[in-house]
């Protein structure tokens, strides 16, 4: 694989990934499916401390990991091919908008390094028309949720809706509430995190609170406190990449299960979590056609309910 055909990512193995198989760790670090991560390892594209590593090799904290990630094709023509996605529920649709419940482990749209299913492809498979404004792989996309985050989101189904909703998100006219299970107990139990977020130096898709970052504001309120964690309601004032995950990690209260941002793998295992405990709970916006306020809510999926059940049973 030539330098033009691949991108080299090089970093020490984070503490949160220690003990995981290589394919599982790569999937979390790169935001790709575990199948894709295993393919990278099998093809010899992953090195640990300079030696080729197999998919089942266990990661050791601090070991130097190097991964050659194939570049995305210049035109992602087929990456958003129609595919029926279990758990992708349509809550509402009309000629202007489609509101869905996104299940975890799918991306919103195709991107570099992601070969799995997408919300865009799932809607196409269900016969929904989406707006064609914007680059091909992001048609109709006016907001995003991380691959590991579940919950309610809206897409534009018309050119007019795309323009209006993009403007509404930009001017913070859309209200978004999340629920997150974070480690420990935030102090104060309710408050505002006002800290700029920017890309963390070095390779990889990871962010951090940094003085040169973009203005980022997160409001939170503790709903329920347990021995090891707290369930919090979160309202975003801004919408930065990984904002909730970064802000709570900066407070040393990362989302349970979020290995990328320092979660305790032992607690995640006890709770049965294979992703960050983060759910887009409610969404409110003005309909782009008539201005009527639309409100939607998404119930917690089974894996997140299970984690809460484990904590409640321990009380």
């Amino acid at each position: 694989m030539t330098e033009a055909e691949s991108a080299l990512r090089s970093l020490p193995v984070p503490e949160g990934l220690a003990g995981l198989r290589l394919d599982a760790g790569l999937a979390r670090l790169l935001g790709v499916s575990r199948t894709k991560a295993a393919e990278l390892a099998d093809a010899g594209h992953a090195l640990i401390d300079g030696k080729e590593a197999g998919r089942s090799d266990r990661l050791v904290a601090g070991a130097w990991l190097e991964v050659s990630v194939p570049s995305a094709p210049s035109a992602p023509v087929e990456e958003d091919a129609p595919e029926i996605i279990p758990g992708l529920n349509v809550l509402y649709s009309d000629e202007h908008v489609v509101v869905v419940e996104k299940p975890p482990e799918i991306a919103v749209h195709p991107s570099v390094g992601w070969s799995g299913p997408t919300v865009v492809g799932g809607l196409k498979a269900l016969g929904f028309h989406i707006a064609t404004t914007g680059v091909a792989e992001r048609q109709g996309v006016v907001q995003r949720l991380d691959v590991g985050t579940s919950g309610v989101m809206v897409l534009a189904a018309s050119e007019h809706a795309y323009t209006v909703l993009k403007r509404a998100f930009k001017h913070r006219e859309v209200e978004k509430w999340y629920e997150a299970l974070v480690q420990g107990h935030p102090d104060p139990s309710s408050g505002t995190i006002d800290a700029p977020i920017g890309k963390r130096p070095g390779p990889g898709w990871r962010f951090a609170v940094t003085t040169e970052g973009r203005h980022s504001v997160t409001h939170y309120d503790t709903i329920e406190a347990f021995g090891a964690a707290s369930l919090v309601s979160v309202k975003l004032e801004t919408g930065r990449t990984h904002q909730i995950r970064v802000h709570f990690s900066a407070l040393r209260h990362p989302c349970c299960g979020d290995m990328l941002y320092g979660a305790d793998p032992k607690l995640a295992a006890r709770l049965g979590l294979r992703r960050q405990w983060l759910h887009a709970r409610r969404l409110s916006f003005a309909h782009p056609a008539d201005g009527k306020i639309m409100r939607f809510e998404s119930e917690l999926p089974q894996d997140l309910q299970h984690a809460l059940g484990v904590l409640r049973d321990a009380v």
Side-chain angles (χ1 to χ4, degrees):
M1 188 180 297
T2 67
E3 196 174 303
E5 295 169 335
S6 66
L8 180 64
R9 300 189 183 185
S10 184
L11 72 164
V13 174
E15 289 281 350
L17 298 185
L20 290 181
R21 284 170 49 114
L22 175 63
D23 52 4
L26 287 180
R28 295 188 182 185
L29 282 173
L30 303 178
V32 301
S33 67
R34 188 159 175 173
T35 299
K36 180 64 176 179
E39 290 175 355
L40 288 172
D42 292 345
H45 297 322
L47 304 179
I48 296 179
D49 289 336
K51 298 180 181 180
E52 190 172 306
R55 65 164 73 184
S56 60
D57 288 355
R58 297 289 172 174
L59 294 173
V60 176
W64 198 255
L65 176 64
E66 296 176 86
V67 190
S68 296
V69 183
S71 299
S74 56
V77 177
E78 297 296 334
E79 287 196 36
D80 60 350
E83 178 180 352
I84 294 293
I85 300 172
L88 179 64
N89 302 319
V90 177
L91 300 178
Y92 175 86
S93 68
D94 60 27
E95 62 181 312
H96 294 288
V97 298
V98 181
V99 180
V100 303
E101 281 186 306
K102 173 190 160 318
E105 306 311 324
I106 72 166
V108 173
H109 59 76
S111 60
V112 175
W114 178 258
S115 60
T118 67
V119 171
V120 172
L123 287 177
K124 286 185 177 180
L126 294 174
F128 286 93
H129 169 77
I130 55 176
T132 56
T133 299
V135 293
E137 69 272 19
R138 299 182 185 178
Q139 292 175 0
V141 176
V142 293
Q143 71 167 127
R144 298 175 183 83
L145 296 178
D146 296 340
V147 169
T149 301
S150 53
V152 62
M153 62 177 296
V154 61
L155 294 96
S158 70
E159 302 287 354
H160 173 71
Y162 183 88
T163 300
V164 173
L165 287 174
K166 285 289 283 187
R167 185 186 305 121
F169 275 99
K170 180 179 180 180
H171 294 289
R172 305 174 189 174
E173 297 167 352
V174 177
E175 294 190 326
K176 300 168 288 183
W177 292 267
Y178 294 74
E179 285 185 7
L181 185 68
V182 301
Q183 293 182 190
H185 308 104
D187 185 14
S189 58
S190 298
T192 295
I193 309 170
D194 186 346
I197 292 175
K199 190 175 182 302
R200 186 166 177 167
W205 196 247
R206 191 175 179 187
F207 294 80
V209 169
T210 170
T211 54
E212 278 110 35
R214 300 174 68 189
H215 176 61
S216 307
V217 179
T218 301
H219 306 284
Y220 71 91
D221 184 41
T222 299
I223 301 172
E224 191 172 359
F226 309 99
S230 300
L231 178 64
V232 295
S233 175
V234 180
K235 184 179 180 181
L236 293 183
E237 186 173 315
T238 54
R240 310 303 179 207
T241 301
H242 296 182
Q243 180 172 320
I244 295 172
R245 301 165 65 188
V246 171
H247 269 170
F248 279 97
S249 177
L251 294 182
R252 299 188 179 180
H253 298 293
C255 293
C256 294
D258 192 357
M259 305 307 178
L260 185 62
Y261 288 105
D264 179 359
K266 292 182 179 179
L267 177 59
R270 181 160 72 89
L271 301 180
L273 290 172
R274 298 177 60 85
R275 58 157 172 138
Q276 67 265 17
W277 202 114
L278 181 60
H279 186 70
R281 192 69 144 131
R282 299 191 303 278
L283 179 70
S284 176
F285 60 91
H287 193 282
D290 59 16
K292 179 181 177 182
I293 300 300
M294 311 286 286
R295 295 184 176 89
F296 301 92
E297 185 165 347
S298 172
E299 295 301 317
L300 295 176
Q302 193 279 329
D303 63 330
L304 303 190
Q305 291 187 41
H306 171 78
L308 288 180
V310 172
L311 290 171
R312 287 169 179 153
D313 289 344
V315 173

